[in-house]
Amino acid sequence: FWGSEIITDHNLYCYNDQAVRAFAGQGVTKNTVPLELNRSEIKRRYNEESMMMLYGYYPLMTTANCVHKNTKGCDKKQKLIYLKDRYNKSFAVCNNCKECYNTIYNSLPTMLTKNIGKLKEAGIRSFRYSFTIETPKQIKAVMDDKVAEYTNGHYKRGVE
């Protein structure tokens, strides 16, 4: 453990420089930029030790009950099921049987590869792809930068 690099994920919230310094004081060597930040908020924070998710299905919600158990019955097996909303959009739901909760993912992946230049200008030097529910064919499309439908997440939201 000691001497290892410690990188926080997006859910250990490093929204601002004070939070980044607090985690660094605890031995964290790198942090992941929070998914909720837009480009103007990213520009304002210290990013030299930050990693940015360039691609991934962002988690929308963690539920304290099991969607699979409530719809099909509990069989203690991890499964991927889908929920549809009123607009007929499908949201992947991955259950965690050990702790009995679900993670519901956005209907579209976030893809920021076209913004990598601006992200580097903001001081970010490390990037990653987060694959969760993709098939091998979908992963290849992502790596070839041929994703048909995606979102920019929060990146282009807000006022500049």
Side-chain angles (χ1 to χ4, degrees), residues 18-139:
Q18 184 178 359
V20 171
R21 283 192 303 273
F23 278 112
Q26 297 299 312
V28 171
T29 52
K30 284 194 173 149
N31 63 78
T32 302
V33 175
L35 307 179
E36 295 86 359
L37 297 186
N38 63 35
R39 60 185 163 198
S40 128
E41 293 165 329
I42 291 169
K43 281 187 222 173
R44 286 195 304 262
R45 72 188 284 278
Y46 174 73
N47 293 307
E48 296 297 320
E49 303 300 328
S50 298
M51 177 182 293
M52 181 81 183
M53 284 178 50
L54 282 182
Y55 170 87
Y57 280 90
Y58 286 2
L60 293 179
M61 181 187 307
T62 300
T63 66
N65 61 4
C66 183
V67 174
H68 182 74
K69 178 181 175 182
N70 292 341
T71 57
K72 309 239 185 224
C74 182
D75 58 9
K76 300 281 186 209
K77 293 181 183 172
Q78 186 170 348
K79 290 190 174 65
L80 191 63
I81 61 173
Y82 291 85
L83 295 175
K84 282 195 177 184
D85 70 3
R86 65 181 185 257
Y87 302 108
N88 212 27
K89 297 282 185 187
S90 292
F91 297 81
V93 180
C94 185
N95 62 327
N96 179 319
C97 294
K98 187 176 178 186
E99 283 88 23
C100 198
Y101 71 87
N102 294 267
T103 303
I104 302 173
Y105 293 96
N106 198 354
S107 62
L108 292 174
T110 297
M111 189 154 183
L112 298 172
T113 53
K114 291 177 177 45
N115 301 295
I116 197 165
K118 292 288 184 190
L119 293 168
K120 285 181 178 179
E121 284 176 21
I124 300 169
R125 301 290 174 260
S126 298
F127 301 92
R128 80 169 194 245
Y129 292 78
S130 180
F131 297 112
T132 51
I133 61 172
E134 294 82 357
T135 65
K137 184 178 178 181
Q138 290 168 320
I139 292 171

